[in-house]
Amino acid sequence: MKQIVNREHYIYGMSAQYKPVLSVESGDHVEFQTYDCFLNQITSSNTEYSSIDWSQINPATGPVYIEDAEPGDILAVHIKKIELEEKGVMATGPNLGVMGHRISEFSVKEIYIKDNQAIFNEQVRIPLNPMIGVIGVAPKEGEISCGTPGDHGGNMDTILITDDATLYFPVFHQGALFSLGDVHAAMGDGEVGVSGVEIPAKVTVAFSVIKGSSIRTPIVKNKEGIAYLVSKETLDEAVNVAVEEMVDLICERSTLSLEDATMLLSAAGQVQVSQVVDPLKTARCFISKDILTQLGIHELF
Ligand code: CA
Ligand code: ZN
């Protein structure tokens, strides 16, 4: 059975303090309906910076309580389907993103979705890559704004978080308290201008709870392989931790030594940048399914 959480159930932070809007069991499917990251406040290409309430951004829909999730477990979230509305928006401006020091005007763009492409302008069409920017569970301590990523997930802005991917999160609280939002019709690695093609959507996921294993930071798995997603003050730190997590996984689950696991990653692993524009930066360390299979690692958990 599929249950629906409509987008009026939105929050601006992830925290164990927020009352769940729905309780589900492992195996249940849930459709999350989401606003775009601006709470749909950009209504035309003339929308001005001052007309946007910047305290009302990055809403996530939820949280949903998963019945058997307990602290120390892993919550697996399989993304079954991302359905986009027909129009997205982008924005950039002074002091926003990588180019903000050279941009003097706040600028927004409406981007229509047609024939599986995002119409950037009359000349350029971008292939769609529907993906989820904000996705996670209640963090260990306190509240973390939905604009910030971390070990609980949050605003990881990672292009691999797309149809048919599975996300794994550490569970810090009873019920995990999962929420998601900030869907993009397309986004480039880095999200350099501070937004992807921001778009309201419906996202259907299936939950399962994994007992007897734990992780420190989110993992994304797709048909091609797996990646650790790590968010830190700097990209350097994020890269280092993502690589260490992957080395540790390989050492624990195969017969490789620390040295061999390191050399294998150096030869066949990919360090990739997810985003450089949020309060913490997110990097990932990816390894292919083929290499994992050769190491005898067939199932992650
Ligand atoms: Ca985002
Ligand atoms: Zn976004």
Side-chain angles (χ1 to χ4, degrees):
M1 192 184 97
K2 183 160 91 174
Q3 307 192 63
I4 293 174
V5 187
N6 80 47
R7 67 190 188 184
E8 297 315 319
H9 294 292
Y10 62 83
I11 47 179
Y12 289 116
M14 296 190 185
S15 161
Q17 303 304 314
Y18 290 112
K19 262 204 150 105
V21 297
L22 177 70
S23 241
V24 300
E25 285 170 17
S26 207
D28 282 358
H29 289 203
V30 179
E31 176 183 294
F32 291 78
Q33 302 179 345
T34 61
Y35 281 102
D36 72 26
C37 73
F38 302 107
L39 198 73
N40 297 9
Q41 293 181 89
I42 297 179
T43 50
S44 85
S45 51
N46 300 317
T47 299
E48 286 176 24
Y49 185 87
S50 59
S51 70
I52 297 171
D53 180 346
W54 290 92
S55 70
Q56 312 281 307
I57 58 164
N58 285 316
T61 303
V64 166
Y65 186 99
I66 295 94
E67 293 284 354
D68 37 356
E70 294 172 298
D73 293 343
I74 296 171
L75 179 67
V77 182
H78 183 212
I79 301 166
K80 310 287 286 187
K81 192 162 54 166
I82 302 176
E83 296 166 89
L84 306 175
E85 286 195 358
E86 63 187 11
K87 188 187 78 173
V89 296
M90 295 194 77
T92 196
N95 304 317
L96 294 174
V98 173
M99 296 301 290
H101 63 297
R102 286 174 51 187
I103 291 174
S104 55
E105 297 274 307
F106 181 67
S107 174
V108 303
K109 195 183 251 319
E110 293 181 290
I111 296 186
Y112 284 88
I113 309 302
K114 214 178 155 194
D115 303 330
N116 259 334
Q117 295 175 312
I119 317 288
F120 186 75
N121 62 20
E122 282 177 10
Q123 199 177 14
V124 179
R125 289 162 183 246
I126 305 168
L128 291 189
N129 174 36
M131 52 150 285
I132 303 164
V134 173
I135 182 167
V137 297
K140 192 166 183 197
E141 279 161 23
E143 173 169 346
I144 297 180
S145 156
C146 290
T148 300
D151 294 341
H152 69 296
N155 196 8
M156 298 187 290
D157 286 323
T158 295
I159 62 172
L160 304 181
I161 305 178
T162 184
D163 285 307
D164 211 25
T166 301
L167 274 288
Y168 300 92
F169 295 100
V171 175
F172 300 108
H173 298 277
Q174 203 70 37
L177 297 164
F178 173 87
S179 48
L180 67 77
D182 184 29
V183 171
H184 303 155
M187 190 195 95
D189 266 336
E191 203 188 21
V192 296
V194 98
S195 71
V197 179
E198 309 290 337
I199 192 162
K202 294 178 189 170
V203 179
T204 304
V205 305
F207 295 108
S208 55
V209 175
I210 297 161
K211 302 280 183 188
S213 287
S214 59
I215 50 177
R216 289 178 285 268
T217 190
I219 298 174
V220 59
K221 180 179 84 176
N222 63 17
K223 282 195 180 67
E224 281 79 47
I226 65 164
Y228 277 92
L229 305 175
V230 176
S231 302
K232 296 285 176 193
E233 294 274 324
T234 67
L235 269 183
D236 288 4
E237 290 170 86
V239 165
N240 290 347
V241 174
V243 168
E244 286 195 49
E245 290 287 342
M246 189 66 88
V247 166
D248 286 346
L249 175 87
I250 291 170
C251 288
E252 279 162 26
R253 305 286 291 275
S254 76
T255 56
L256 292 196
S257 65
L258 183 70
E259 294 76 11
D260 274 357
T262 304
M263 283 193 276
L264 180 64
L265 271 192
S266 199
Q270 312 291 334
V271 166
Q272 299 165 329
V273 172
S274 286
Q275 61 76 25
V276 296
V277 294
D278 295 332
L280 300 177
K281 317 295 178 224
T282 306
R284 56 186 192 262
C285 180
F286 176 89
I287 193 156
S288 72
K289 189 178 170 186
D290 172 52
I291 298 279
L292 291 175
T293 304
Q294 292 187 58
L295 291 170
I297 305 171
H298 300 286
E299 285 297 330
L300 251 192
F301 302 110

